[in-house]
Amino acid sequence: QVQLVESGGGLVQAGGSLRLSCAASGRTFSSYAMGWFRQAPGKEREFVGGISWSGGNTYYADSVKGRFTISRDNAKNMVYLQMNSLKPEDTAVYYCAASRTVVPGLFPSTFDEYEYWGQGTQVTVSS
């Protein structure tokens, strides 16, 4: 069992930065791949990016590549999403999620591949 709690959301102007944190409980945290998703009003939840269980590999959606960075600290049971050069279209509720789904050569990037979810944190980017 893994429980996830996000924090760090807020209101920021376009071009600004935010760092989201995801605190995980459970002794098996380091065995999970971790993902970040977001959901804007009226839209489906979408994959933002993810990080492998070891932290050695990261994956990003094209819409955030080069602006967002995901990292993790398994000793602290934490995952981070550093968001730079924010745009109004980044406005959404951001969720962290944990996955044990293993598909050779692929990183889990769909809702159904994640077993545990946080409650989400709101990010609003003003123009």
Side-chain angles (χ1 to χ4, degrees):
Q1 186 85 9
V2 176
Q3 293 183 324
L4 305 171
V5 179
E6 303 94 336
S7 62
L11 174 64
V12 63
Q13 288 189 331
S17 298
L18 278 176
R19 187 195 196 204
L20 304 185
S21 299
C22 175
S25 65
R27 291 179 293 176
T28 60
F29 168 74
S30 61
S31 67
Y32 286 83
M34 296 299 295
W36 284 95
F37 288 73
R38 66 186 181 186
Q39 187 166 19
K43 295 188 176 181
E44 292 187 354
R45 194 169 299 191
E46 66 172 351
F47 178 74
V48 173
I51 188 165
S52 60
W53 64 270
S54 67
N57 294 289
T58 52
Y59 307 84
Y60 300 95
D62 288 343
S63 58
V64 306
K65 202 171 293 183
R67 300 188 298 122
F68 290 11
T69 303
I70 297 172
S71 60
R72 70 188 294 165
D73 185 337
N74 285 342
K76 295 182 179 179
N77 280 16
M78 296 292 295
V79 181
Y80 306 98
L81 177 64
Q82 177 67 45
M83 305 185 294
N84 298 328
S85 302
L86 283 161
K87 305 175 181 180
E89 50 264 43
D90 294 318
T91 295
V93 177
Y94 283 72
Y95 301 88
C96 68
S99 174
R100 271 185 168 169
T101 299
V102 177
V103 178
L106 295 177
F107 187 85
S109 61
T110 64
F111 181 87
D112 291 343
E113 293 176 297
Y114 285 79
E115 291 90 350
Y116 301 104
W117 292 83
Q119 83 291 347
T121 186
Q122 176 70 46
V123 171
T124 302
V125 184
S126 64
S127 57

